[in-house]
Amino acid sequence: MSPTRQENRRRNLRRWAPRGAALAVLGLAATGCASNDLTRLGMPEPITNQAERVLSLWQGSWVAAFAVGILVWGLIVWSVIFHRKRSEQLPPQVRYNMPIEALYTVLPIVIISVLFFFTARDQAILLDTDEPADVNIEVVAFQWAWQFNYLDDKKENGGEVLFSETGIPNPDGTADPSTQTTLVLPEGATVHFDLHSPDVIHSFWIPEFGFKMDVIPGRDNAFQADINEGTAGEYVGRCAELCGVDHARMLFNVQVLPQDEYDAWAAEQQQAAEEAELEAADTGDTPDSGEGSGAEGAGAEGAGTDEEGTGSGGSEAEGSGTDEQDTGSGASDAEENEQS
């Protein structure tokens, strides 16, 4: 290689290296993200152990993508800079290169196999529901709101409904936080979710959980979430499956409370549910309108009896009419005797 050609290459590197570095810095500055946001690569701050695992898988996938991208783009840039056309003479032509062909065949298989292994491993952990749960919640998704039934946590995977939180679809078709139901969760607890739908397919999604799960009619889906300590706050959940005309307003609130505050809230909700049940039972014991109607029916039956008696009097009146006819016949006989 001639000295002039080497000098040209060095000059090109000195010219392009600062430009590439400046472009990278500009790209990072344009994102406007903090360092923590940047490392999450668009994922929200995780609030569960499962979400942290999903974030780790997400970051690992991006590392692999960056590595492949740097290799591919590096080869492209290297070819553009150092192997661009310099004359009309054709470069040496080859039919094949076995080492390179083996490399670009084996390397993608290795990358995909590694990604598949970690994905399958994490998926099995995310869908594991064998661990005893501290809180059991039945999630009912319907057009276009949510109902959360808090179940008896003394029974495995839930049992009797202790109390419920139900949202109200907003009639004007907008999302109104005041009518949206609130899912209340405790810090540092394992929460078991059973998902059900009576109408169409929905999808239960809290972005800070790191993944979503479909709610399918006739199929029981379930998962568990280990809520991290120090994650108290308010979040937003939503339906992530197009489920009809008002899908966009099928939202719900999420509130994570410290354990003592959650216990107080749950006790208050359970007491209110028990009082409502007792009130309903008391209302059922008092005479209702049906019993009053029965009494009125009995009076009507008595009136009917009196009417029947009146009808008998009418028969007697008919008998009186017959007697009058007989009296009239007797008067005619008396007149005939006088004429004789």
Side-chain angles (χ1 to χ4, degrees):
M1 182 180 297
S2 64
T4 304
R5 191 171 182 180
Q6 290 181 349
E7 183 63 26
N8 290 335
R9 288 188 175 183
R10 294 193 187 98
R11 188 180 301 111
N12 289 333
L13 285 176
R14 288 194 298 267
R15 182 175 60 183
W16 285 100
R19 295 179 181 179
L23 183 61
V25 172
L26 179 62
L28 293 176
T31 61
C33 300
S35 59
N36 191 24
D37 296 333
L38 185 62
T39 57
R40 292 201 309 270
L41 299 168
M43 290 282 284
E45 184 75 31
I47 64 173
T48 68
N49 290 339
Q50 290 80 2
E52 291 178 352
R53 180 172 293 275
V54 173
L55 177 60
S56 177
L57 179 63
W58 174 253
Q59 292 170 330
S61 300
W62 271 104
V63 169
F66 281 137
V68 174
I70 291 173
L71 175 62
V72 172
W73 281 100
L75 292 174
I76 292 175
V77 172
W78 178 73
S79 300
V80 169
I81 295 176
F82 298 108
H83 293 278
R84 62 185 183 273
K85 183 178 179 180
R86 300 180 184 277
S87 65
E88 298 299 329
Q89 184 179 359
L90 289 176
Q93 303 296 305
V94 294
R95 293 184 178 180
Y96 56 86
N97 188 312
M98 287 301 297
I100 293 180
E101 291 184 6
L103 178 64
Y104 67 62
T105 301
V106 174
L107 186 59
I109 295 177
V110 172
I111 295 174
I112 293 174
S113 299
V114 172
L115 292 176
F116 178 82
F117 168 78
F118 286 106
T119 301
R121 182 200 65 179
D122 291 347
Q123 178 177 305
I125 296 174
L126 293 174
L127 299 180
D128 182 20
T129 58
D130 293 335
E131 181 182 356
D134 301 310
V135 179
N136 295 277
I137 300 176
E138 179 187 27
V139 178
V140 181
F142 58 94
Q143 294 175 316
W144 286 273
W146 300 85
Q147 179 178 352
F148 303 118
N149 299 323
Y150 288 75
L151 307 178
D152 184 2
D153 56 5
K154 296 180 181 179
K155 298 181 181 180
E156 183 178 1
N157 290 339
E160 181 182 358
V161 176
L162 299 179
F163 55 89
S164 299
E165 295 288 326
T166 306
I168 303 174
N170 202 11
D172 63 2
T174 60
D176 184 1
S178 64
T179 61
Q180 294 166 190
T181 185
T182 299
L183 176 64
V184 182
L185 304 172
E187 284 183 336
T190 298
V191 184
H192 180 97
F193 294 93
D194 288 307
L195 310 180
H196 303 287
S197 171
D199 41 42
V200 299
I201 298 177
H202 303 275
S203 186
F204 181 76
W205 183 33
I206 301 174
E208 287 76 13
F209 277 19
F211 78 107
K212 54 191 175 183
M213 180 171 285
D214 285 347
V215 189
I216 304 174
R219 178 174 177 177
D220 296 333
N221 283 345
F223 72 95
Q224 291 187 173
D226 300 320
I227 311 298
N228 293 334
E229 295 283 355
T231 56
E234 296 182 354
Y235 308 91
V236 176
R238 52 179 55 88
C239 176
E241 184 75 25
L242 182 61
C243 57
V245 63
D246 289 324
H247 159 73
R249 65 187 176 105
M250 193 169 171
L251 309 174
F252 61 93
N253 305 312
V254 182
Q255 187 175 17
V256 179
L257 299 176
Q259 186 65 54
D260 54 346
E261 295 183 16
Y262 173 82
D263 292 339
W265 174 85
E268 181 181 351
Q269 298 299 315
Q270 186 172 354
Q271 181 180 0
E274 292 174 353
E275 291 176 354
E277 185 177 355
L278 291 175
E279 182 179 354
D282 292 341
T283 304
D285 291 339
T286 56
D288 56 12
S289 59
E291 294 178 357
S293 300
E296 293 174 2
E301 291 177 1
T305 305
D306 294 338
E307 290 176 357
E308 290 175 357
T310 305
S312 300
S315 300
E316 293 175 359
E318 291 177 358
S320 301
T322 305
D323 293 340
E324 290 176 356
Q325 291 176 359
D326 293 341
T327 305
S329 301
S332 300
D333 293 340
E335 291 177 355
E336 291 177 357
N337 291 333
E338 289 178 356
Q339 291 176 358
S340 302

